[in-house]
mmCIF file of all heavy atoms in Angstrom:
data_model
loop_
_atom_site.group_PDB
_atom_site.id
_atom_site.type_symbol
_atom_site.label_atom_id
_atom_site.label_comp_id
_atom_site.label_asym_id
_atom_site.label_seq_id
_atom_site.Cartn_x
_atom_site.Cartn_y
_atom_site.Cartn_z
ATOM 1 N N SER A 1 61.614 72.808 60.107
ATOM 2 C CA SER A 1 61.986 73.864 59.164
ATOM 3 C C SER A 1 60.951 73.829 58.056
ATOM 4 O O SER A 1 60.759 72.789 57.417
ATOM 5 C CB SER A 1 63.388 73.620 58.604
ATOM 6 O OG SER A 1 64.351 73.668 59.637
ATOM 7 N N ALA A 2 60.256 74.947 57.840
ATOM 8 C CA ALA A 2 59.147 74.980 56.887
ATOM 9 C C ALA A 2 59.345 76.083 55.857
ATOM 10 O O ALA A 2 59.971 77.111 56.144
ATOM 11 C CB ALA A 2 57.833 75.206 57.626
ATOM 12 N N PRO A 3 58.813 75.890 54.646
ATOM 13 C CA PRO A 3 58.876 76.955 53.621
ATOM 14 C C PRO A 3 58.185 78.224 54.111
ATOM 15 O O PRO A 3 57.191 78.160 54.846
ATOM 16 C CB PRO A 3 58.123 76.328 52.439
ATOM 17 C CG PRO A 3 58.215 74.858 52.652
ATOM 18 C CD PRO A 3 58.168 74.669 54.137
ATOM 19 N N GLN A 4 58.710 79.350 53.735
ATOM 20 C CA GLN A 4 58.172 80.631 54.201
ATOM 21 C C GLN A 4 56.714 80.819 53.811
ATOM 22 O O GLN A 4 55.950 81.490 54.512
ATOM 23 C CB GLN A 4 59.019 81.778 53.639
ATOM 24 C CG GLN A 4 60.427 81.814 54.209
ATOM 25 C CD GLN A 4 61.307 82.850 53.551
ATOM 26 O OE1 GLN A 4 60.979 83.340 52.465
ATOM 27 N NE2 GLN A 4 62.422 83.182 54.183
ATOM 28 N N ARG A 5 56.312 80.221 52.704
ATOM 29 C CA ARG A 5 54.934 80.387 52.226
ATOM 30 C C ARG A 5 53.933 79.543 53.019
ATOM 31 O O ARG A 5 52.722 79.728 52.891
ATOM 32 C CB ARG A 5 54.842 79.989 50.753
ATOM 33 C CG ARG A 5 55.079 78.507 50.512
ATOM 34 C CD ARG A 5 55.021 78.127 49.052
ATOM 35 N NE ARG A 5 55.181 76.692 48.857
ATOM 36 C CZ ARG A 5 56.336 76.057 48.836
ATOM 37 N NH1 ARG A 5 57.454 76.754 49.021
ATOM 38 N NH2 ARG A 5 56.389 74.753 48.647
ATOM 39 N N MET A 6 54.399 78.608 53.843
ATOM 40 C CA MET A 6 53.523 77.662 54.518
ATOM 41 C C MET A 6 52.862 78.304 55.736
ATOM 42 O O MET A 6 53.536 78.861 56.609
ATOM 43 C CB MET A 6 54.319 76.432 54.938
ATOM 44 C CG MET A 6 53.477 75.246 55.348
ATOM 45 S SD MET A 6 54.534 73.773 55.549
ATOM 46 C CE MET A 6 53.294 72.554 56.005
ATOM 47 N N GLU A 7 51.549 78.228 55.826
ATOM 48 C CA GLU A 7 50.817 78.810 56.943
ATOM 49 C C GLU A 7 51.066 78.010 58.226
ATOM 50 O O GLU A 7 51.264 76.801 58.194
ATOM 51 C CB GLU A 7 49.317 78.823 56.640
ATOM 52 C CG GLU A 7 48.929 79.682 55.448
ATOM 53 C CD GLU A 7 49.109 81.168 55.720
ATOM 54 O OE1 GLU A 7 49.122 81.542 56.926
ATOM 55 O OE2 GLU A 7 49.246 81.941 54.754
ATOM 56 N N ILE A 8 51.008 78.703 59.361
ATOM 57 C CA ILE A 8 51.297 78.064 60.643
ATOM 58 C C ILE A 8 50.296 76.959 60.956
ATOM 59 O O ILE A 8 50.650 75.937 61.565
ATOM 60 C CB ILE A 8 51.328 79.108 61.786
ATOM 61 C CG1 ILE A 8 51.918 78.487 63.055
ATOM 62 C CG2 ILE A 8 49.951 79.695 62.018
ATOM 63 C CD1 ILE A 8 53.361 78.102 62.949
ATOM 64 N N GLU A 9 49.046 77.114 60.518
ATOM 65 C CA GLU A 9 48.054 76.081 60.794
ATOM 66 C C GLU A 9 48.359 74.808 60.006
ATOM 67 O O GLU A 9 48.154 73.696 60.499
ATOM 68 C CB GLU A 9 46.647 76.583 60.452
ATOM 69 C CG GLU A 9 45.535 75.654 60.909
ATOM 70 C CD GLU A 9 45.569 75.387 62.407
ATOM 71 O OE1 GLU A 9 45.980 76.283 63.189
ATOM 72 O OE2 GLU A 9 45.178 74.262 62.821
ATOM 73 N N ALA A 10 48.869 74.970 58.795
ATOM 74 C CA ALA A 10 49.264 73.812 57.991
ATOM 75 C C ALA A 10 50.453 73.098 58.638
ATOM 76 O O ALA A 10 50.534 71.865 58.627
ATOM 77 C CB ALA A 10 49.611 74.249 56.571
ATOM 78 N N ILE A 11 51.354 73.893 59.226
ATOM 79 C CA ILE A 11 52.508 73.310 59.916
ATOM 80 C C ILE A 11 52.030 72.548 61.153
ATOM 81 O O ILE A 11 52.513 71.456 61.460
ATOM 82 C CB ILE A 11 53.512 74.411 60.307
ATOM 83 C CG1 ILE A 11 54.055 75.106 59.048
ATOM 84 C CG2 ILE A 11 54.659 73.818 61.122
ATOM 85 C CD1 ILE A 11 54.914 76.318 59.344
ATOM 86 N N ARG A 12 51.058 73.120 61.865
ATOM 87 C CA ARG A 12 50.503 72.462 63.050
ATOM 88 C C ARG A 12 49.892 71.108 62.678
ATOM 89 O O ARG A 12 50.131 70.093 63.345
ATOM 90 C CB ARG A 12 49.451 73.342 63.715
ATOM 91 C CG ARG A 12 48.797 72.712 64.952
ATOM 92 C CD ARG A 12 47.656 73.572 65.460
ATOM 93 N NE ARG A 12 48.127 74.856 65.917
ATOM 94 C CZ ARG A 12 48.604 75.079 67.149
ATOM 95 N NH1 ARG A 12 48.655 74.081 68.031
ATOM 96 N NH2 ARG A 12 49.009 76.279 67.496
ATOM 97 N N LEU A 13 49.108 71.074 61.602
ATOM 98 C CA LEU A 13 48.482 69.821 61.163
ATOM 99 C C LEU A 13 49.533 68.795 60.756
ATOM 100 O O LEU A 13 49.402 67.600 61.040
ATOM 101 C CB LEU A 13 47.527 70.097 59.996
ATOM 102 C CG LEU A 13 46.263 70.905 60.345
ATOM 103 C CD1 LEU A 13 45.482 71.239 59.084
ATOM 104 C CD2 LEU A 13 45.386 70.129 61.327
ATOM 105 N N TYR A 14 50.599 69.274 60.121
ATOM 106 C CA TYR A 14 51.694 68.380 59.739
ATOM 107 C C TYR A 14 52.343 67.774 60.992
ATOM 108 O O TYR A 14 52.591 66.569 61.068
ATOM 109 C CB TYR A 14 52.738 69.141 58.922
ATOM 110 C CG TYR A 14 54.007 68.360 58.672
ATOM 111 C CD1 TYR A 14 54.096 67.438 57.641
ATOM 112 C CD2 TYR A 14 55.126 68.545 59.492
ATOM 113 C CE1 TYR A 14 55.251 66.711 57.425
ATOM 114 C CE2 TYR A 14 56.290 67.834 59.282
ATOM 115 C CZ TYR A 14 56.347 66.916 58.245
ATOM 116 O OH TYR A 14 57.498 66.196 58.038
ATOM 117 N N ALA A 15 52.604 68.627 61.995
ATOM 118 C CA ALA A 15 53.240 68.158 63.230
ATOM 119 C C ALA A 15 52.353 67.151 63.947
ATOM 120 O O ALA A 15 52.841 66.138 64.466
ATOM 121 C CB ALA A 15 53.552 69.343 64.141
ATOM 122 N N ILE A 16 51.041 67.420 63.973
ATOM 123 C CA ILE A 16 50.107 66.495 64.621
ATOM 124 C C ILE A 16 50.135 65.133 63.935
ATOM 125 O O ILE A 16 50.103 64.085 64.595
ATOM 126 C CB ILE A 16 48.679 67.079 64.610
ATOM 127 C CG1 ILE A 16 48.605 68.287 65.549
ATOM 128 C CG2 ILE A 16 47.649 66.023 65.016
ATOM 129 C CD1 ILE A 16 47.298 69.040 65.485
ATOM 130 N N SER A 17 50.248 65.132 62.616
ATOM 131 C CA SER A 17 50.279 63.872 61.872
ATOM 132 C C SER A 17 51.541 63.064 62.156
ATOM 133 O O SER A 17 51.579 61.850 61.909
ATOM 134 C CB SER A 17 50.173 64.144 60.367
ATOM 135 O OG SER A 17 51.382 64.692 59.851
ATOM 136 N N LYS A 18 52.564 63.737 62.687
ATOM 137 C CA LYS A 18 53.841 63.074 62.959
ATOM 138 C C LYS A 18 54.063 62.821 64.448
ATOM 139 O O LYS A 18 55.164 62.412 64.852
ATOM 140 C CB LYS A 18 54.997 63.935 62.417
ATOM 141 C CG LYS A 18 54.970 64.160 60.912
ATOM 142 C CD LYS A 18 55.221 62.874 60.159
ATOM 143 C CE LYS A 18 55.300 63.131 58.655
ATOM 144 N NZ LYS A 18 55.537 61.860 57.895
ATOM 145 N N LEU A 19 53.042 63.041 65.280
ATOM 146 C CA LEU A 19 53.227 62.923 66.731
ATOM 147 C C LEU A 19 53.686 61.533 67.154
ATOM 148 O O LEU A 19 54.523 61.390 68.054
ATOM 149 C CB LEU A 19 51.921 63.278 67.458
ATOM 150 C CG LEU A 19 51.701 64.769 67.749
ATOM 151 C CD1 LEU A 19 50.352 64.990 68.393
ATOM 152 C CD2 LEU A 19 52.824 65.311 68.628
ATOM 153 N N GLY A 20 53.141 60.495 66.536
ATOM 154 C CA GLY A 20 53.562 59.135 66.878
ATOM 155 C C GLY A 20 55.034 58.929 66.633
ATOM 156 O O GLY A 20 55.762 58.379 67.477
ATOM 157 N N TRP A 21 55.518 59.384 65.487
ATOM 158 C CA TRP A 21 56.944 59.269 65.125
ATOM 159 C C TRP A 21 57.797 60.080 66.089
ATOM 160 O O TRP A 21 58.858 59.628 66.535
ATOM 161 C CB TRP A 21 57.124 59.754 63.696
ATOM 162 C CG TRP A 21 58.524 59.637 63.169
ATOM 163 C CD1 TRP A 21 59.078 58.564 62.538
ATOM 164 C CD2 TRP A 21 59.553 60.644 63.229
ATOM 165 N NE1 TRP A 21 60.385 58.839 62.194
ATOM 166 C CE2 TRP A 21 60.702 60.109 62.612
ATOM 167 C CE3 TRP A 21 59.611 61.937 63.740
ATOM 168 C CZ2 TRP A 21 61.880 60.816 62.486
ATOM 169 C CZ3 TRP A 21 60.798 62.650 63.630
ATOM 170 C CH2 TRP A 21 61.910 62.086 63.011
ATOM 171 N N ILE A 22 57.341 61.290 66.425
ATOM 172 C CA ILE A 22 58.084 62.164 67.334
ATOM 173 C C ILE A 22 58.241 61.518 68.708
ATOM 174 O O ILE A 22 59.341 61.440 69.270
ATOM 175 C CB ILE A 22 57.385 63.530 67.473
ATOM 176 C CG1 ILE A 22 57.498 64.321 66.169
ATOM 177 C CG2 ILE A 22 57.982 64.330 68.636
ATOM 178 C CD1 ILE A 22 56.640 65.576 66.143
ATOM 179 N N LYS A 23 57.137 61.006 69.267
ATOM 180 C CA LYS A 23 57.171 60.417 70.609
ATOM 181 C C LYS A 23 58.032 59.155 70.638
ATOM 182 O O LYS A 23 58.714 58.883 71.636
ATOM 183 C CB LYS A 23 55.751 60.117 71.070
ATOM 184 C CG LYS A 23 54.932 61.371 71.371
ATOM 185 C CD LYS A 23 53.537 61.031 71.838
ATOM 186 C CE LYS A 23 52.740 62.290 72.164
ATOM 187 N NZ LYS A 23 51.361 61.988 72.625
ATOM 188 N N GLU A 24 57.993 58.384 69.561
ATOM 189 C CA GLU A 24 58.823 57.172 69.493
ATOM 190 C C GLU A 24 60.297 57.525 69.580
ATOM 191 O O GLU A 24 61.069 56.894 70.316
ATOM 192 C CB GLU A 24 58.541 56.431 68.189
ATOM 193 C CG GLU A 24 59.396 55.180 67.994
ATOM 194 C CD GLU A 24 59.170 54.519 66.640
ATOM 195 O OE1 GLU A 24 58.191 54.894 65.953
ATOM 196 O OE2 GLU A 24 59.968 53.639 66.281
#
């Protein structure tokens, strides 16, 4: 869930930074 002002590319970079946590 992301703020409406947040660009999709910024959300993508955020998700990539959390991939280890997600997979765990």
Side-chain angles (χ1 to χ4, degrees):
S1 297
Q4 292 174 343
R5 67 181 183 278
M6 194 170 181
E7 297 291 338
I8 192 66
E9 189 57 32
I11 298 173
R12 179 187 296 275
L13 292 174
Y14 171 83
I16 291 173
S17 73
K18 298 293 184 180
L19 274 177
W21 183 89
I22 290 170
K23 290 181 179 180
E24 178 184 348

